[in-house]
Amino acid sequence: MSVLRPLDKLPSLNTATILLVGTEDALLQQLVDSMLKEDCTSELKVHLAKSLPLPSSVNPPRIDLIVFVVNLHSKYSLQNTEESLHHVDASFFLGKVCFLATGAGRESHCSIHQHTVVKLVHTYQSPLLYCDLEVPCSWVPTSLSLLTWLAQGLSEWPGSQASAALTDG
Amino acid sequence: MDETVAEFIKRTILKIPMNELITILKAWDFLSENQLQTINFRQRKESLVQHLVRLCEEKHASLNDAALLDIIYTQFHQHQKIWDVFQMSKGPVTVSFRETEENAVWIRIAWGTQYTKPNQYKPTYVVYYSQTPYAFTSSSRLRRNAPLLGQALTVASKHHQIVKMDLRSRYLDSLKAIVFKQYNQIFETHNSTTPLQERNLGLDINMDSRIIHENIAEKERVQQITQETFGDYPQPRLEFAQYKLETKFKSDLNGSILAEREEPLRCLIKFSSPHLLEALKSLAPAGIADAPLSPLLTCIPNKRMNYFKIRDK
């Protein structure tokens, strides 16, 4: 079974890796660009995937934080997230997973109830961040939040150098 | 004499009551006096009819002759039909023509009634392509003129029947391209040997090495399917697609209230966009829908429809 496991690989020195999982490239790309700009240390790597399991399951990369991006305007996006969650090992949910729900601002375009996402997020005991990735001014605060979570998650693994590197920026 | 004509005459004569037979045959004035005298009215009707049909054959009765007999029979039995009443009037109409280069004739029609002059501010336009059986008309608020317009077009273009296609848009050029199946001929010299990766995958691959795209294969698959479905050419421009669904609930459970409904369920779904087909084409590459898209959406230019009625089979 192709499941992502956090301890499959040893953490590499001074590197942290985020995996963004979401169906809409355009939204993810903006977030990635913003995150890389905020992270000045070039220790950050970002993987973009439409869904899990990853095609490179044969040699999966080490992932320090998985961010599931759900577009509240798209049932397809939610469905994709729910299916991808099955391919994540349970131990990831101890601080290495978070959810990003975008599009709540335009209620008339929402085809998913916020309640649905909240329920999902509670099931997986992970944090949820609301944002609007279609609005440029939200990119910086969103990416800073993600980087903070990443640092938190990393700091729970003793001996990890990457979190120190991130907070220097 | 044709077999069908013989059968037609036979059945018509069979309908005629015996006591009217002579009168009707005389009114028909097709069989000669001599022939009529050979008829034996005492025999059984079947044999009588066969005899009459033979007589008609001798005289080489045609379809027109048989139709005339039918008219006379109906005249004698008018009450067997139900009659409607129509009143005709001569309404004034302003018609103007202008030809364009591509064999297209633009026709402008302003409609009046027997009481009013033509209304020049609500004309109907028809663009007729003379080498084709197609005419494009602007939607008129004066709907009652539509049948008349249809008839006029049919007669003028020497056709027999006119049918409104389920296709509608603001963009006449696009409608033309769809109707004449010319929408896929635009890029004849397009170089389709460029490898897929270099061609507009929607992402810059030679960028930051800190970004790793995990789903390149999937993106290529989507791109491939999209290209196969929509082609490389610009899509004809439509603003909407409308689907009317009529169905009944089905249930395996007994006594399901919804399944017992007599009335079918009806719903209407309308997709709107400044450029519907381009929007549909970009759905899968943008990650908003999975590829391949539903054939109900992708068949629009091919089927030359953007209004659909979907019923249970």
Side-chain angles (χ1 to χ4, degrees):
Chain A
M1 236 264 284
S2 47
V3 164
L4 224 46
R5 289 174 215 282
L7 297 180
D8 272 353
K9 291 222 160 90
L10 292 173
S12 16
L13 223 49
N14 294 337
T15 313
T17 309
I18 293 189
L19 170 63
L20 291 185
V21 181
T23 50
E24 289 172 54
D25 253 0
L27 300 179
L28 298 190
Q29 196 63 47
Q30 301 297 351
L31 192 54
V32 167
D33 291 341
S34 177
M35 276 169 37
L36 289 174
K37 251 200 324 210
E38 294 304 315
D39 169 66
C40 318
T41 61
S42 81
E43 312 297 7
L44 178 66
K45 274 197 158 61
V46 182
H47 288 246
L48 290 176
K50 182 202 158 210
S51 61
L52 299 176
L54 295 179
S56 54
S57 302
V58 174
N59 195 14
R62 177 189 163 81
I63 303 287
D64 298 305
L65 176 69
I66 306 179
V67 181
F68 288 97
V69 180
V70 178
N71 187 350
L72 293 175
H73 301 176
S74 164
K75 282 203 172 91
Y76 179 59
S77 161
L78 177 66
Q79 185 190 344
N80 183 64
T81 302
E82 286 170 338
E83 285 166 3
S84 300
L85 280 163
H86 296 147
H87 296 274
V88 178
D89 185 65
S91 50
F92 251 109
F93 296 102
L94 303 169
K96 289 179 176 298
V97 171
C98 73
F99 293 83
L100 212 57
T102 176
R106 290 204 287 170
E107 183 116 17
S108 57
H109 285 72
C110 288
S111 50
I112 306 171
H113 289 296
Q114 289 181 28
H115 174 70
T116 312
V117 178
V118 167
K119 231 173 63 170
L120 179 71
V121 158
H122 276 160
T123 311
Y124 288 95
Q125 301 275 317
S126 295
L128 168 66
L129 179 65
Y130 286 102
C131 60
D132 198 342
L133 291 177
E134 292 182 40
V135 174
C137 59
S138 77
W139 298 333
V140 169
T142 309
S143 46
L144 285 176
S145 300
L146 291 179
L147 291 172
T148 310
W149 267 324
L150 176 63
Q152 270 178 3
L154 287 168
S155 64
E156 289 168 23
W157 296 100
S160 160
Q161 309 276 346
S163 63
L166 277 169
T167 48
D168 276 353
Chain B
M1 194 166 76
D2 201 73
E3 252 181 54
T4 47
V5 174
E7 180 67 21
F8 182 23
I9 291 181
K10 176 175 152 211
R11 289 208 209 174
T12 310
I13 298 178
L14 273 170
K15 286 196 293 188
I16 305 175
M18 286 297 280
N19 57 345
E20 290 174 13
L21 199 48
I22 305 183
T23 323
I24 290 185
L25 287 175
K26 284 210 168 127
W28 189 27
D29 199 24
F30 176 74
L31 296 173
S32 67
E33 269 296 322
N34 288 341
Q35 282 178 308
L36 286 177
Q37 277 171 10
T38 65
I39 302 170
N40 174 11
F41 288 95
R42 298 234 187 86
Q43 61 186 316
R44 275 182 40 231
K45 192 159 187 193
E46 276 166 36
S47 339
L48 175 60
V49 170
Q50 275 173 17
H51 180 59
L52 282 167
V53 170
R54 268 198 307 271
L55 290 178
C56 292
E57 215 160 6
E58 279 170 29
K59 272 209 123 179
H60 307 292
S62 69
L63 185 56
N64 278 335
D65 297 316
L68 194 55
L69 179 63
D70 195 24
I71 293 181
I72 296 170
Y73 171 81
T74 308
Q75 284 175 324
F76 271 76
H77 296 266
Q78 297 171 11
H79 58 282
Q80 285 181 1
K81 306 259 183 236
I82 297 183
W83 301 88
D84 289 318
V85 187
F86 284 87
Q87 181 178 3
M88 290 173 289
S89 52
K90 280 200 177 172
V93 153
T94 314
V95 184
S96 321
F97 298 85
R98 187 161 191 266
E99 286 186 38
T100 69
E101 304 84 42
E102 317 120 3
N103 284 325
V105 182
W106 278 65
I107 309 169
R108 177 185 181 279
I109 305 161
W111 306 90
T113 66
Q114 26 173 187
Y115 309 109
T116 64
K117 281 210 207 150
N119 184 345
Q120 301 298 338
Y121 298 98
K122 287 187 182 168
T124 303
Y125 284 92
V126 177
V127 181
Y128 172 57
Y129 289 86
S130 52
Q131 310 296 330
T132 75
Y134 295 103
F136 301 83
T137 67
S138 65
S139 312
S140 172
R141 273 185 228 132
L142 304 174
R143 282 244 193 107
R144 59 188 152 84
N145 297 308
L148 185 59
L149 177 59
Q151 280 170 33
L153 275 171
T154 315
V155 169
S157 62
K158 298 199 173 68
H159 290 90
H160 299 292
Q161 174 171 296
I162 190 165
V163 151
K164 188 172 180 189
M165 290 173 65
D166 291 320
L167 182 64
R168 197 189 241 189
S169 164
R170 283 188 186 280
Y171 303 98
L172 199 48
D173 285 340
S174 293
L175 287 178
K176 255 179 63 186
I178 291 176
V179 166
F180 299 134
K181 297 223 178 251
Q182 289 166 346
Y183 53 89
N184 53 2
Q185 291 167 11
I186 300 175
F187 287 143
E188 278 160 355
T189 54
H190 181 77
N191 180 11
S192 54
T193 59
T194 331
L196 212 52
Q197 285 94 315
E198 290 171 28
R199 252 199 305 168
N200 194 25
L201 262 180
L203 40 88
D204 298 309
I205 307 212
N206 24 295
M207 52 181 296
D208 214 317
S209 60
R210 296 177 289 173
I211 305 182
I212 296 102
H213 296 271
E214 291 285 343
N215 291 110
I216 301 252
E218 170 67 10
K219 287 194 176 69
E220 280 177 8
R221 181 192 77 93
V222 167
Q223 209 65 30
Q224 173 104 17
I225 294 186
T226 303
Q227 200 216 358
E228 278 165 20
T229 314
F230 291 90
D232 275 333
Y233 41 83
Q235 301 294 309
R237 193 165 177 188
L238 299 171
E239 316 85 77
F240 52 82
Q242 182 172 296
Y243 299 82
K244 269 195 184 160
L245 172 69
E246 199 174 288
T247 184
K248 292 188 96 162
F249 278 103
K250 293 172 191 65
S251 172
D252 294 329
L253 312 164
N254 279 331
S256 158
I257 296 176
L258 290 173
E260 280 167 5
R261 250 176 81 101
E262 279 299 317
E263 273 287 297
L265 176 78
R266 290 189 184 91
C267 69
L268 187 122
I269 299 174
K270 187 172 176 177
F271 293 89
S272 305
S273 165
H275 198 324
L276 182 76
L277 294 178
E278 285 292 342
L280 292 177
K281 181 177 177 181
S282 57
L283 281 181
I288 300 174
D290 204 1
L293 292 179
S294 162
L296 279 172
L297 294 170
T298 56
C299 70
I300 290 171
N302 195 40
K303 281 206 161 164
R304 308 189 298 178
M305 306 169 70
N306 59 349
Y307 280 80
F308 295 84
K309 287 196 176 68
I310 306 165
R311 291 205 173 91
D312 289 337
K313 287 210 173 96

